[in-house]
Amino acid sequence: MAIKFNPILGTLFVVVATVLLRVSDAQGGRKGAIVGGWNPITNLSDPEVVKIGKFAIDEHNKEAKTKLGFQKITKGESQVVAGINYRLVISAKDGDSPPHNYLAEVWDKPWEKFRNLTSFRECSIENVEQQCMFTN
């Protein structure tokens, strides 16, 4: 009995493995990412995570006609779904004003070259920690 290779299932396997490895790398190599669950990103300076943060700022600037400048990512978590959801707290400046924190959510499907800013809001000055808390 010969086993036939199904190219669609083979491609799907490669895509899922790639997504899980990227999430693991962004989390500092942490093993055991839970599919569907939010996991903290421990390596906030990972180039792929920084690219997602800069994308969020750029997209917000286009939509809101603002000129925020990316500073750094101060907190983050990711969720493996049909792609990867990123929830990031991003520090950004508007001109010469001091940096403010923003909570951004981005849905990324790298194998389709698809990336979408799904949410972006400023964290309030009074309750920065509460406003930028992640809620599952």
Side-chain angles (χ1 to χ4, degrees), residues 54-124:
K54 288 180 177 180
F55 169 82
I57 294 293
D58 291 344
E59 286 299 299
H60 172 74
N61 284 340
K62 288 179 202 171
E63 293 173 10
K65 297 184 181 9
T66 59
K67 294 182 180 180
L68 295 177
F70 177 88
Q71 297 292 298
K72 65 180 180 175
I73 298 171
T74 60
K75 192 174 179 181
E77 59 185 5
S78 62
Q79 176 188 44
V80 178
V81 289
I84 307 171
N85 281 327
Y86 290 92
R87 196 182 285 161
L88 305 173
V89 176
I90 303 169
S91 177
K93 286 178 66 169
D94 188 4
D96 292 332
S97 69
H100 289 221
N101 287 325
Y102 299 87
L103 180 60
E105 292 189 23
V106 175
W107 180 25
D108 187 39
K109 295 195 285 185
W111 65 94
E112 291 183 7
K113 299 192 183 333
F114 172 87
R115 190 170 281 164
N116 184 45
L117 178 64
T118 56
S119 174
F120 191 95
R121 63 181 166 89
E122 185 174 4
C123 303
S124 75

Side-chain angles (χ1 to χ4, degrees), residues 8-90:
I8 294 172
L9 289 179
T11 302
L12 181 61
F13 174 76
V14 170
V15 167
V16 169
T18 301
V19 167
L20 289 175
L21 286 173
R22 287 180 75 186
V23 168
S24 179
D25 287 346
Q27 293 173 349
R30 186 178 140 189
K31 304 283 188 260
I34 300 169
V35 176
W38 287 97
N39 295 292
I41 298 172
T42 56
N43 184 4
L44 299 174
S45 60
D46 177 272
E48 189 63 25
V49 175
V50 171
K51 191 184 298 184
I52 298 288
K54 288 180 177 180
F55 169 82
I57 294 293
D58 291 344
E59 286 299 299
H60 172 74
N61 284 340
K62 288 179 202 171
E63 293 173 10
K65 297 184 181 9
T66 59
K67 294 182 180 180
L68 295 177
F70 177 88
Q71 297 292 298
K72 65 180 180 175
I73 298 171
T74 60
K75 192 174 179 181
E77 59 185 5
S78 62
Q79 176 188 44
V80 178
V81 289
I84 307 171
N85 281 327
Y86 290 92
R87 196 182 285 161
L88 305 173
V89 176
I90 303 169

